[in-house]
Amino acid sequence: MARVLTFVVPGVPVAKGRPRMTRRGRVYTPAKTVAYERTVAVAAQVAKSAVADGLMFPGPVQVTIWCRFATPLSWSRKKTAAMLHQPHTQLPDLDNLVKSVLDGMNHTHNIWTDDKQVAALTATKHWSEKSCVLVRIEKINENSHNDWNGNEAKPEELDPPASKNGAD
């Protein structure tokens, strides 16, 4: 049986904030980041409770994350129509959005042990009618030799490009 968990995190995607330090030297995570990671954990836990009992993903997983940002209300209808489903190239950075989702998943029970299990990751940012994050987690088949997308080159087939002057 293929193990797949899909869920939606409502609201505007929030990037992982940088750790902050108090004057006394205590390091903490910003409150906005902590709140968003809790929202991710709740959404994942609710989706998981409808699917399975026990540890869902004990081994390697593939994660797909779609970050959708609502178009601003100040945009004209014409601009909104033109930008829908186009790549979102503004802040926040995609890598920080991914970190907040994966770290939020670490606060769940019996979905996975730790985000170190993520062996494959696909993430996108797009304009949309409504802001949300869609997450899909699936077990990687052990018999696939990590060739989950059908066109993955084996490490021994990869040759680094030779430099033009012949010196490395």
Side-chain angles (χ1 to χ4, degrees):
M1 176 175 105
R3 292 273 188 166
V4 177
L5 179 66
T6 305
F7 62 93
V8 177
V9 182
V12 179
V14 176
K16 179 82 173 185
R18 298 210 180 270
R20 306 289 182 195
M21 187 177 292
T22 65
R23 290 182 186 158
R24 294 181 180 254
R26 186 180 146 263
V27 178
Y28 67 97
T29 302
K32 187 175 180 182
T33 300
V34 171
Y36 188 71
E37 288 176 358
R38 285 185 185 140
T39 303
V40 170
V42 168
Q45 207 65 53
V46 167
K48 190 244 181 221
S49 66
V51 175
D53 291 330
L55 184 59
M56 206 169 165
F57 299 106
V61 295
Q62 174 178 349
V63 178
T64 307
I65 301 171
W66 297 273
C67 298
R68 296 183 175 176
F69 291 86
T71 55
L73 295 175
S74 61
W75 284 4
S76 67
R77 284 188 211 152
K78 184 177 178 181
K79 184 174 182 179
T80 297
M83 293 303 289
L84 278 180
H85 311 294
Q86 294 299 314
H88 181 278
T89 56
Q90 300 173 357
L91 289 175
D93 293 348
L94 184 59
D95 60 328
N96 292 326
L97 292 167
V98 168
K99 279 189 252 180
S100 67
V101 171
L102 296 181
D103 287 350
M105 291 290 300
N106 283 341
H107 300 296
T108 60
H109 300 288
N110 289 327
I111 292 180
W112 65 31
T113 309
D114 189 72
D115 60 355
K116 66 184 175 189
Q117 292 174 240
V118 178
L121 176 68
T122 304
T124 61
K125 287 191 319 181
H126 284 85
W127 290 109
S128 181
E129 297 90 4
K130 188 172 123 182
S131 292
C132 66
V133 175
L134 295 116
V135 182
R136 177 183 170 92
I137 306 167
E138 53 191 308
K139 177 182 175 192
I140 292 178
N141 184 357
E142 289 85 9
N143 299 325
S144 69
H145 304 292
N146 293 340
D147 191 9
W148 42 80
N149 65 3
N151 58 9
E152 194 77 21
K154 292 185 174 86
E156 59 270 9
E157 295 173 359
L158 299 175
D159 286 328
S163 61
K164 291 185 180 183
N165 61 7
D168 287 13

